[in-house]
């Protein structure tokens, strides 16, 4: 049986476009740090051990693509430097990071557990990602989801 997905093109797929920005290991590590409140270059470098040039490049791409913005700050007696803040686009990545964290916790955590968890500020409960359709139904099995062409889909040309 021929999969129906072969009938439409994925040339303009937004997953591919998103991965152009996010598809490098250090990018998600940088975002984890910024979401954790680590916003300054030197703090990120010390905490993550990311090579200086790699961190510089990742931050530049995230700023250029609108995920982060640079905010100036100045320590007394020092030159002006910048810290990195999430934009609205960046904040919208939070569920993605929580989903990756949950997947990593399930399959890759050490026997003692994960070194990071996320909790709800109001009640302290663990936060996790759930999928729901636009009718409000919980979608908890991958086989309950069917890919289909979106509004901008184009027929596939052989």
């Amino acid at each position: 049986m021929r999969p129906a997905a072969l009938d439409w093109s994925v040339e303009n797929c937004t997953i591919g476009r998103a991965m152009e920005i996010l598809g490098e290991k250090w990018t998600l590590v940088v975002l984890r740090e910024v979401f954790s409140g680590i916003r300054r270059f030197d703090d990120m470098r010390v905490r993550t051990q990311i090579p200086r040039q790699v961190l510089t490049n990742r931050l530049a791409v995230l700023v250029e693509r609108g995920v982060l913005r640079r905010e100036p700050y100045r320590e007394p007696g020092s030159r002006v430097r910048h810290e990195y803040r999430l934009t609205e686009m960046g904040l919208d990545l939070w569920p993605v990071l929580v989903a990756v964290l949950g997947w990593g916790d399930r399959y890759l955590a050490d026997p003692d557990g994960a070194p990071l968890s996320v909790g709800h500020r109001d009640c302290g409960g663990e936060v996790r990602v759930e999928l729901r359709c636009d009718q409000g139904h919980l979608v908890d099995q991958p086989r309950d989801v069917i890919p289909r062409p979106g509004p901008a889909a184009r027929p596939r040309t052989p």
Side-chain angles (χ1 to χ4, degrees):
M1 182 168 158
R2 185 173 184 277
L6 290 174
D7 294 336
W8 70 85
S9 171
V10 292
E11 288 178 31
N12 63 344
C13 175
T14 54
I15 291 175
R17 290 178 187 173
M19 293 313 293
E20 287 175 9
I21 299 170
L22 303 175
E24 199 274 332
K25 168 192 169 180
W26 293 120
T27 301
L28 292 182
V29 171
V30 167
L31 290 171
R32 177 197 67 200
E33 295 307 303
V34 177
F35 273 110
S36 296
I38 310 296
R39 297 185 182 98
R40 296 181 178 181
F41 183 93
D42 289 336
D43 294 337
M44 281 185 220
R45 211 167 149 266
V46 167
R47 183 166 151 102
T48 64
Q49 301 297 302
I50 298 174
R52 179 177 291 282
Q53 192 57 52
V54 172
L55 181 55
T56 299
N57 293 345
R58 294 292 76 75
L59 288 168
V61 167
L62 291 169
V63 168
E64 175 187 316
R65 299 304 290 264
V67 176
L68 297 176
R69 69 179 190 281
R70 289 169 32 123
E71 292 284 327
Y73 74 92
R74 182 183 209 140
E75 297 286 344
S78 297
R79 66 181 170 88
V80 172
R81 297 181 139 197
H82 292 89
E83 61 182 24
Y84 296 87
R85 299 282 180 146
L86 292 156
T87 62
E88 184 176 345
M89 178 191 271
L91 288 166
D92 283 346
L93 284 168
W94 181 236
V96 175
L97 266 67
V98 172
V100 171
L101 175 66
W103 183 85
D105 288 352
R106 180 170 180 176
Y107 295 106
L108 306 171
D110 292 338
D112 293 338
L116 176 68
S117 70
V118 290
H120 184 216
R121 185 183 309 268
D122 289 346
C123 73
E126 283 291 312
V127 173
R128 66 182 175 280
V129 173
E130 289 185 349
L131 297 179
R132 293 193 177 272
C133 73
D134 65 1
Q135 301 297 310
H137 303 113
L138 178 64
V139 181
D140 58 357
Q141 297 297 316
R143 286 185 170 81
D144 291 340
V145 177
I146 56 168
R148 59 186 184 198
R154 299 180 200 138
R156 185 172 175 269
T157 55

